[in-house]
Amino acid sequence: MRVEQYVLSPGRELTDEEKVLVWQKPLSHKVSEVERRICSEVKRNWDRDEMKIANILLEGDAGSGKTQLAKALSANFRVPYTKVTCFADMDKSDIIGAILPVLSSDRMNELDTADQTALSSLYESDGFQSSTEILIAALGITQEMASVKMRQLLKLASDNAKDEAVEYRFYPSEIVRAFRQGYLLEIQEPNVIRDAAVLMALNSALELDGTINLPMEIVHRHPDFIAVITANRSYAGSRPLNEALRDRIQHTEKMDLPSKEIMIERAMAKTGFRDNEVLDVLADTIILLDKTARANAIKGVAGMRSYFYWADAVARGASARESLYHKVIYKITTDADEIKLLEDALDGQGLMGRLDEVPNELKKNEI
């Protein structure tokens, strides 16, 4: 697959900072049929105005490769990649951004060290990063904690500004930055958002000719902006994807485990372990556990991540049967009755016996 054939805007000049954001495929990346299909569809329709494909939905279980695929699209399209991870209590400031007063040095000195660090980092920013990114880097916190912190800082700065004549600055969200600059934005798990107003703001941004109304200006959607929505099925706290949001999607992929051949190929590339027979039985086990969990409404997932870590452990001498529990089954469930269902399914297909036949100690030259 020639990456150059899918570049969407060959004449676009990226800044040095933007070039860093374009994902670089590792040697272990294997191009899937889904990746080829999305790239072909987006490229074919890119200049067709109302038929343009710029909102993509990847829906599937955890570990099915959604984020890896979103990053691969960044590499193929040569568009900077960024992401936002949604959470239940998101508010409109997480979609748009926030206005903060710039405190005087005297007022700043009255604050505790953490708040001074956070505000100073925001004030010194060059506008390239979003407020969330700035706080994550300055305080070493998660995205959700950064969102909460931004609200606290807004109240703190407003209270401390008092009656002074102060300067106000707007700090955009990561969504606004991607929307304005023309990035590929992965929106992770929007189906956990509880506030309908937040979803309405997000829906507006996903219109092909959409705009975002900021306090200082109206921002129009950059022609290179691509939204890749990634959503887990059967995820705790999630809801069915908002109908209005789903209606704005032009291409959807149902992400499941890849074929066994692709699973083995990816495991070899990821782990360096090249025993095809061992990888084959491990893949059969993962596939059966995945089917059994679905059939019995067990919420956990047997996915590619479990497969990679299990294969890596076996490659380094772990018992295939014993490590099955720590790398796979206990990630699916720790409920005794559900574990029994999974074990019975494996016994019924003879897979427990096959796992017992995998040697515990593997030759060093196999890796």
Side-chain angles (χ1 to χ4, degrees):
M1 175 174 170
R2 292 184 300 105
V3 173
E4 291 77 11
Q5 72 187 102
Y6 296 118
V7 174
L8 298 177
S9 300
R12 178 179 175 180
E13 290 289 334
L14 300 177
T15 66
D16 290 341
E17 292 88 352
E18 289 174 338
K19 289 176 183 176
V20 172
L21 294 177
V22 177
W23 196 61
Q24 301 298 312
K25 292 184 181 181
L27 295 177
S28 61
H29 179 80
K30 301 297 178 183
V31 178
S32 66
E33 187 56 39
V34 173
E35 182 181 335
R36 289 191 180 91
R37 178 166 55 246
I38 294 175
C39 290
S40 297
E41 281 294 288
V42 172
K43 181 66 174 179
R44 181 174 67 84
N45 287 276
W46 193 244
D47 298 316
R48 296 184 64 199
D49 298 326
E50 293 183 0
M51 295 302 295
K52 184 175 184 176
I53 295 174
N55 298 326
I56 298 162
L57 170 62
L58 307 178
E59 195 167 21
D61 292 322
S64 57
K66 300 184 295 295
T67 290
Q68 177 90 353
L69 177 53
K71 291 178 177 178
L73 297 179
S74 160
N76 295 337
F77 297 149
R78 200 181 296 161
V79 174
Y81 166 88
T82 189
K83 71 175 181 179
V84 59
T85 303
C86 299
F87 51 94
D89 295 323
M90 285 183 80
D91 66 16
K92 288 187 70 174
S93 69
D94 295 306
I95 302 295
I96 296 171
I99 295 177
L100 277 178
V102 180
L103 299 182
S104 66
S105 57
D106 289 341
R107 294 294 186 196
M108 285 281 285
N109 290 334
E110 296 174 5
L111 306 180
D112 65 37
T113 303
D115 290 333
Q116 287 187 43
T117 300
L119 284 171
S120 296
S121 299
L122 288 166
Y123 296 159
E124 294 166 6
S125 66
D126 57 8
F128 181 76
Q129 289 181 299
S130 68
S131 57
T132 301
E133 273 194 323
I134 294 166
L135 292 179
I136 289 172
L139 302 177
I141 57 179
T142 66
Q143 180 181 310
E144 186 170 353
M145 291 168 65
S147 173
V148 173
K149 189 64 178 178
M150 190 66 183
R151 293 173 214 165
Q152 293 173 347
L153 291 174
L154 178 59
K155 184 177 187 308
L156 185 68
S158 298
D159 290 347
N160 278 273
K162 297 182 179 177
D163 298 325
E164 293 181 351
V166 296
E167 172 192 356
Y168 283 83
R169 292 183 193 170
F170 176 72
Y171 296 91
S173 69
E174 191 64 15
I175 293 173
V176 168
R177 184 168 78 110
F179 187 87
R180 188 205 304 266
Q181 301 297 122
Y183 296 170
L184 185 148
L185 173 69
E186 181 188 358
I187 306 173
Q188 298 181 337
E189 309 305 329
N191 47 333
V192 304
I193 298 173
R194 288 198 288 246
D195 191 337
V198 176
L199 286 170
M200 286 178 62
L202 189 57
N203 290 341
S204 177
L206 293 180
E207 295 284 359
L208 286 179
D209 59 351
T211 58
I212 298 178
N213 295 322
L214 303 181
M216 315 294 199
E217 61 178 320
I218 296 176
V219 178
H220 295 271
R221 179 172 180 153
H222 191 287
D224 285 352
F225 174 69
I226 298 173
V228 179
I229 296 170
T230 54
N232 286 338
R233 291 194 297 267
S234 303
Y235 187 77
S238 66
R239 304 161 180 77
L241 198 62
N242 178 271
E243 289 183 8
L245 190 151
R246 189 180 282 275
D247 187 53
R248 286 161 173 77
I249 301 298
Q250 296 99 26
H251 187 93
T252 303
E253 292 285 348
K254 179 175 175 286
M255 301 288 288
D256 294 309
L257 282 174
S259 68
K260 185 167 71 171
E261 292 72 24
I262 295 295
M263 289 177 68
I264 292 171
E265 184 180 6
R266 289 181 181 174
M268 287 182 176
K270 283 276 188 183
T271 66
F273 181 43
R274 312 202 66 82
D275 189 316
N276 195 81
E277 290 186 10
V278 173
L279 290 172
D280 184 89
V281 66
L282 300 190
D284 281 340
T285 304
I286 291 286
I287 291 168
L288 182 59
L289 288 173
D290 179 60
K291 291 179 179 177
T292 305
R294 290 175 187 274
N296 290 278
I298 299 173
K299 295 296 185 182
V301 175
M304 289 299 291
R305 290 195 190 102
S306 298
Y307 181 52
F308 292 151
Y309 281 101
W310 187 26
D312 189 65
V314 172
R316 281 148 182 81
S319 161
R321 181 163 180 155
E322 289 179 10
S323 59
L324 164 67
Y325 289 88
H326 306 292
K327 300 297 184 182
V328 186
I329 287 181
Y330 293 156
K331 284 184 65 178
I332 301 173
T333 181
T334 54
D335 179 86
D337 293 333
E338 291 179 342
I339 290 173
K340 183 67 165 57
L341 283 171
L342 298 175
E343 290 173 334
D344 288 346
L346 294 175
D347 278 328
Q349 296 295 318
L351 282 167
M352 282 299 200
R354 290 177 63 190
L355 291 175
D356 284 334
E357 294 171 2
V358 175
N360 283 2
E361 294 185 6
L362 298 169
K363 297 176 182 178
K364 292 181 180 179
N365 61 11
E366 288 179 331
I367 301 179

